[in-house]
Amino acid sequence: MPTMPLSLTVIILTFDEELHLERCLASIAPLGARVVVVDSGSHDRTQEIARAAGAEVFEHPFLNQAAQFNWALENTDTRSDWIMRLDADEVLEPELVDEILSKLPRMPADVAGINLKRRHVFLGRWIRHGGRYPVTLLRIWRRGQGRVEDRWMDEHVIVQGGRTETFDKDFSDWNLKDLTFFIDKHNKYATREAVEIINQRHGLFARDTGMSAESASRQAAFKRWAKESVYNRLPFWLGPFGYFMMRMSVQGGFLDGREGLIYHFLQGFWYRFLVGAKVLEFERELVGADGPAAKRAMLRDLTGLKI
């Protein structure tokens, strides 16, 4: 079957990503796609590496992932048929590159989005168990039919006007930085997720509720429902313990070895416990605030986020 041309733009958000970016760009080079890097003021060689690889570099102040990516969609003159979201510490496996090249140009017109399967590599080990593989995420969509949810945390791409397909091969989330970076990053994530939970409970600002099994991956939609409708209603100390035990036993996390134990404990227990503790802290502080505006102002002071 003859090869059909691929009309694709890959958008990558960056900040001080010189450790990862060259590897990421090399993995997508066989696609022959237009590459857009939106940088939020890196202090290292990130922009230099991007330009050397032929990427178009834009700079824009960072508020959160959703706002930054949607800015990119609206301001980087993207005219390709398809758009892909990729993080700088992610790489496309060669088998997925081949699958994209062979399948994407031939997608039926009623397909609006493509789900990809993510594998997570932690301390050099592929985490295959504990419910962490595959994580199925909508990462490719037709221009004009997708956007990133307007949320502070756990934002997903959602599509409209068509159905989704899921490709078979993987991409890898493989951050090369150390545990100190991992812990610092997840501490910041915990603050953002706690804000989302507080907003869910108090309605302090608009919530993006557009995700469904039709607009994103079924897995992502189910996880969102389970988190917001079940998990977030549990006592903050019970949820993390039960979740960690489920990942380690029922979902076989113990098979991931020492690296898996560290990962499942930090990401499946410590992080979830930290989110719950921050929610408890914020709730106590908000007791003294009168009305949504005062509560939003207090959250801004507590978190440093521009809520």
Side-chain angles (χ1 to χ4, degrees):
M1 185 178 295
T3 301
M4 296 179 65
L6 176 64
S7 179
L8 174 68
T9 296
V10 182
I11 299 178
I12 305 170
L13 307 184
T14 59
F15 178 72
D16 288 351
E17 286 289 358
E18 68 177 6
L19 180 61
H20 299 113
L21 187 58
E22 187 171 4
R23 181 190 64 174
C24 173
L25 295 175
S27 79
I28 62 177
L31 294 174
R34 177 192 182 214
V35 180
V36 169
V37 170
V38 180
D39 189 67
S40 49
S42 291
H43 305 103
D44 61 8
R45 296 177 53 252
T46 294
Q47 293 192 19
E48 177 186 339
I49 291 169
R51 290 191 178 96
E56 298 174 39
V57 178
F58 298 78
E59 190 165 338
H60 186 257
F62 186 85
L63 176 65
N64 58 43
Q65 288 281 336
Q68 189 81 332
F69 204 96
N70 287 326
W71 182 91
L73 291 177
E74 296 168 4
N75 293 276
T76 59
D77 194 28
T78 297
R79 301 178 184 180
S80 59
D81 294 339
W82 296 91
I83 298 170
M84 174 188 285
R85 175 185 180 181
L86 195 65
D87 292 343
D89 60 356
E90 295 173 340
V91 294
L92 302 189
E93 298 299 328
E95 297 81 7
L96 177 58
V97 171
D98 292 341
E99 186 174 16
I100 292 171
L101 287 170
S102 64
K103 290 183 177 180
L104 197 60
R106 296 181 172 83
M107 275 293 118
D110 66 335
V111 174
I114 307 296
N115 298 309
L116 302 180
K117 297 176 180 179
R118 184 181 72 186
R119 63 174 73 166
H120 190 86
V121 180
F122 180 78
L123 296 181
R125 180 167 186 147
W126 175 7
I127 305 299
R128 296 171 180 259
H129 306 283
R132 301 304 294 171
Y133 178 78
V135 175
T136 307
L137 302 167
L138 200 151
R139 286 298 191 93
I140 304 175
W141 64 96
R142 288 193 191 271
R143 177 171 54 89
Q145 292 184 249
R147 63 178 176 84
V148 178
E149 295 177 289
D150 184 13
R151 298 172 69 95
W152 280 98
M153 186 62 195
D154 196 30
E155 74 290 334
H156 288 264
V157 177
I158 56 176
V159 295
Q160 60 183 6
R163 62 186 177 88
T164 63
E165 289 275 358
T166 300
F167 281 0
D168 298 320
K169 306 305 180 181
D170 301 341
F171 72 102
S172 295
D173 179 342
W174 191 343
N175 194 290
L176 300 173
K177 296 184 180 180
D178 61 16
L179 280 175
T180 298
F181 174 84
F182 179 93
I183 291 169
D184 180 60
K185 180 177 72 171
H186 280 75
N187 181 40
K188 294 173 181 175
Y189 284 175
T191 297
R192 294 170 182 266
E193 186 162 348
V195 166
E196 285 289 344
I197 295 172
I198 292 292
N199 188 42
Q200 179 187 359
R201 293 179 179 178
H202 297 274
L204 302 182
F205 47 88
R207 296 181 67 235
D208 198 331
T209 57
M211 178 188 281
S212 66
E214 292 72 35
S215 66
S217 79
R218 292 184 180 277
Q219 184 191 70
F222 174 76
K223 286 183 176 180
R224 171 72 56 77
W225 173 83
K227 182 184 290 185
E228 296 189 348
S229 300
V230 180
Y231 182 91
N232 288 348
R233 301 176 187 273
L234 298 173
F236 89 93
W237 54 268
L238 178 60
F241 179 76
Y243 181 51
F244 174 67
M245 293 305 297
M246 180 185 73
R247 279 173 62 157
M248 290 301 292
S249 57
V250 176
Q251 295 180 316
F254 67 92
L255 297 171
D256 287 318
R258 292 177 300 177
E259 296 85 357
L261 174 61
I262 296 168
Y263 175 75
H264 292 304
F265 178 82
L266 290 177
Q267 203 271 342
F269 179 80
W270 171 79
Y271 171 70
R272 300 255 45 103
F273 191 89
L274 185 61
V275 171
K278 291 195 177 200
V279 170
L280 180 65
E281 177 187 35
F282 295 164
E283 289 278 23
R284 288 180 174 178
E285 294 293 334
L286 291 179
V287 169
D290 185 16
K295 290 179 180 180
R296 286 195 299 270
M298 185 167 287
L299 273 182
R300 282 196 294 271
D301 291 342
L302 288 169
T303 65
L305 301 177
K306 297 178 181 178
I307 298 170

